[in-house]
Amino acid sequence: MKKLLSLKTLLICISFTVFLLLVKDNMNVLWSALGWITGIITPFAIGFLFAYILNYPYKFFYTKVFGRMGRKRKFLANFRKPLALIITYAIVVAIFVIIISIVVPQIAASLFSLINSLPQYGGVLSDMTKTVVHWINHTFSMEIDASEVINNFFKYITNFISAGNITSFLGNSTNAVFNAIMSMCNGVYNFLLGIVISVYFLAAKETLCYQIKKLAVAFIPIKYLPKIYEIIDITDTKCGRFLVGDIIDAAFLGILTFVTMSIFQLPYAPLIAVLIGVTNIIPFFGPFIGAIPSAFILFLIDPIDMIIFVIIIVIIQQLDGNLFKPKIIGSQVGLSSFWVLFSVIVGGGMFGVLGLILGTPIYAVIYALVGKRVKNRIESKGKIAQEALDFEVLNYTKIAAEQKKLREEKEMQQREKFMKFINRNKTSDEDEPTENTDD
């Protein structure tokens, strides 16, 4: 009789249980170790992301622009990769220089103008409050004092910024500002180091891919390799290309918003265009996240400007959803609106802003893999499964009757084959003595 639990299995279970208990009692140490490891690999993750995105223009220059280099003179083929790398990163640097020299000063000017106009917008809000309170009193026969509401609001603000609160606020804000400065410096360091690392990633991508394949073939059973290669291919199609296309689409949308707002001479065009472009990277909720605060700012200046802006955004979003984005991204995601909404909400709830951006393409990968698995399982069940799919869910009795009919037909076919086989054997047995007699 085969043993239910071998000594090796028992030792593995005990060791795993002890490991889980140690992890449970030392969660702070575990999180500290994970944070330390994350801090180390962050530049490499940024470098990989940069290299992955820049791989598309790099391949264009390497295969299309310099593809024929070296056909007549072999030594020129050695210059294809350096030239493609130099031109790719020169274009990236030029884009950053243009953004910093042109867009950033305009955004800064818009921010300063917005801050200087805050007292004026406070007066506009006060007038709006009085108008709303007057409408409420007139409509619902109430006696709300608008001046008292405004005074209570400013009184609350005054109490909040009293001496004691200011002291505690400054004490807390000092640490917050210091931590923010350190985080900013660390982020800039990781960003710059990630750009340097991306050059090495892009220059040695063939060697790195081959080394990873060698490790996979050496340590992963051969029967699992096709499935792993399939997952990597689907991930590249659904996640990578969607992310690159979404960034291009967001940049195009920001530029189009800036040009349109400039034509209609709407205020804060650079600031709002950047906000619209950046938030458009987030699927489904992105257009609302960027458009609502922008519309509110324009409403404080002039309601007519807000109406024009809303009309512009609606038209641009319709063009983007029906014309631009399908051309740029194509059908890489393959998700319905419901699953896009589901992936954004779940991804944002679990991983924050990163989940909002990457939730949809990652879920598209899972959706494609599960969908392919379901299709294969249905096909393996044959005609009965397909017949069950053709019926409505509520007609389960009809499905059962059809399945019974199919089983009876199958049993009848098998019985007929068996009877033919028996008859054939009987015929052969009857023919053998006759042949012997003739002999």
Side-chain angles (χ1 to χ4, degrees):
M1 184 176 177
K2 192 175 180 179
K3 292 183 178 180
L4 294 177
L5 193 64
S6 63
L7 180 61
K8 181 179 179 181
T9 306
L10 181 62
L11 290 175
I12 292 174
C13 293
I14 293 174
S15 301
F16 186 69
T17 304
V18 172
F19 173 75
L20 290 179
L21 291 174
L22 290 174
V23 170
K24 175 180 174 295
D25 295 334
N26 298 277
M27 286 299 294
N28 294 331
V29 179
L30 179 63
W31 284 116
S32 300
L34 289 176
W36 177 69
I37 295 172
T38 303
I40 293 175
I41 66 173
T42 295
F44 292 94
I46 295 174
F48 175 78
L49 182 62
F50 268 113
Y52 186 84
I53 294 174
L54 296 180
N55 184 48
Y56 290 92
Y58 166 77
K59 286 195 299 184
F60 171 77
F61 289 112
Y62 185 78
T63 58
K64 301 295 184 181
V65 179
F66 304 111
R68 297 183 179 179
M69 181 179 290
R71 290 186 177 181
K72 295 182 179 180
R73 299 178 181 180
K74 298 296 182 182
F75 73 95
L76 292 177
N78 297 324
F79 295 97
R80 288 176 62 193
K81 180 179 288 187
L83 287 174
L85 284 172
I86 291 172
I87 293 178
T88 300
Y89 280 91
I91 292 174
V92 173
V93 171
I95 291 173
F96 275 108
V97 169
I98 291 173
I99 292 174
I100 293 173
S101 61
I102 298 177
V103 178
V104 171
Q106 294 190 21
I107 294 175
S110 299
L111 284 174
F112 282 121
S113 175
L114 181 63
I115 293 172
N116 292 330
S117 301
L118 284 178
Q120 177 184 353
Y121 299 153
V124 173
L125 283 175
S126 177
D127 295 337
M128 289 172 54
T129 304
K130 292 179 180 178
T131 303
V132 171
V133 170
H134 176 73
W135 178 81
I136 292 174
N137 291 335
H138 179 73
T139 305
F140 300 100
S141 300
M142 301 178 67
E143 296 181 356
I144 300 175
D145 190 357
S147 300
E148 184 178 354
V149 172
I150 297 172
N151 291 333
N152 289 333
F153 174 75
F154 284 107
K155 186 177 180 180
Y156 172 78
I157 297 296
T158 304
N159 291 332
F160 177 76
I161 60 175
S162 61
N165 291 332
I166 281 290
T167 304
S168 61
F169 175 76
L170 290 177
N172 295 329
S173 62
T174 302
N175 295 328
V177 169
F178 178 76
N179 293 331
I181 292 174
M182 292 300 296
S183 299
M184 186 181 299
C185 294
N186 189 33
V188 172
Y189 169 77
N190 289 332
F191 180 79
L192 295 177
L193 189 58
I195 293 177
V196 176
I197 293 173
S198 69
V199 179
Y200 290 93
F201 269 130
L202 206 55
K205 66 173 186 174
E206 293 85 2
T207 304
L208 291 174
C209 290
Y210 181 71
Q211 291 173 347
I212 293 172
K213 285 183 179 180
K214 287 177 65 176
L215 289 173
V217 173
F219 295 103
I220 297 176
I222 297 297
K223 63 180 180 179
Y224 296 123
L225 286 178
K227 178 59 68 176
I228 293 174
Y229 289 158
E230 180 187 8
I231 292 173
I232 293 173
D233 181 63
I234 293 176
T235 302
D236 176 63
T237 302
K238 297 289 184 180
C239 188
R241 295 179 185 177
F242 170 81
L243 182 60
V244 174
D246 203 25
I247 293 173
I248 296 173
D249 178 69
F252 176 75
L253 200 66
I255 295 172
L256 185 60
T257 303
F258 172 74
V259 172
T260 310
M261 291 184 66
S262 300
I263 292 174
F264 286 92
Q265 298 182 352
L266 298 179
Y268 306 125
L271 178 64
I272 292 175
V274 171
L275 183 62
I276 293 294
V278 171
T279 56
N280 198 71
I281 297 177
I282 301 173
F284 198 86
F285 292 111
F288 300 100
I289 295 174
I292 291 174
S294 302
F296 179 73
I297 292 173
L298 293 176
F299 177 74
L300 295 177
I301 300 172
D302 190 351
I304 301 298
D305 291 342
M306 184 205 70
I307 295 173
I308 296 174
F309 171 76
V310 170
I311 295 173
I312 290 172
I313 289 298
V314 169
I315 295 174
I316 290 177
Q317 288 296 333
Q318 290 298 318
L319 291 174
D320 180 62
N322 298 300
L323 182 62
F324 303 143
K325 186 167 286 188
K327 293 293 183 182
I328 296 174
I329 298 178
S331 57
Q332 300 297 338
V333 181
L335 295 178
S336 63
S337 300
F338 172 78
W339 291 120
V340 171
L341 176 63
F342 174 83
S343 61
V344 170
I345 293 175
V346 174
M350 295 179 65
F351 303 106
V353 177
L354 190 62
L356 291 174
I357 298 173
L358 299 179
T360 299
I362 291 175
Y363 184 78
V365 174
I366 300 172
Y367 186 87
L369 292 173
V370 174
K372 190 171 184 180
R373 180 67 174 170
V374 169
K375 181 181 178 182
N376 293 336
R377 291 293 298 271
I378 292 175
E379 290 178 352
S380 66
K381 292 184 177 182
K383 186 179 178 181
I384 294 178
Q386 191 60 45
E387 290 290 335
L389 286 176
D390 293 338
F391 289 120
E392 296 180 2
V393 177
L394 295 178
N395 292 336
Y396 55 90
T397 55
K398 193 174 181 180
I399 296 175
E402 185 68 18
Q403 289 178 343
K404 183 179 179 181
K405 180 180 177 182
L406 292 172
R407 284 196 299 269
E408 290 176 352
E409 291 177 355
K410 189 173 183 180
E411 291 174 359
M412 183 64 70
Q413 292 174 359
Q414 292 176 349
R415 190 179 297 110
E416 290 177 356
K417 290 181 180 178
F418 184 68
M419 294 303 296
K420 288 180 181 179
F421 178 76
I422 293 176
N423 293 331
R424 190 182 303 115
N425 289 339
K426 285 183 178 181
T427 304
S428 61
D429 292 339
E430 292 175 355
D431 292 340
E432 285 180 1
T434 306
E435 293 176 359
N436 294 332
T437 304
D438 294 339
D439 292 338

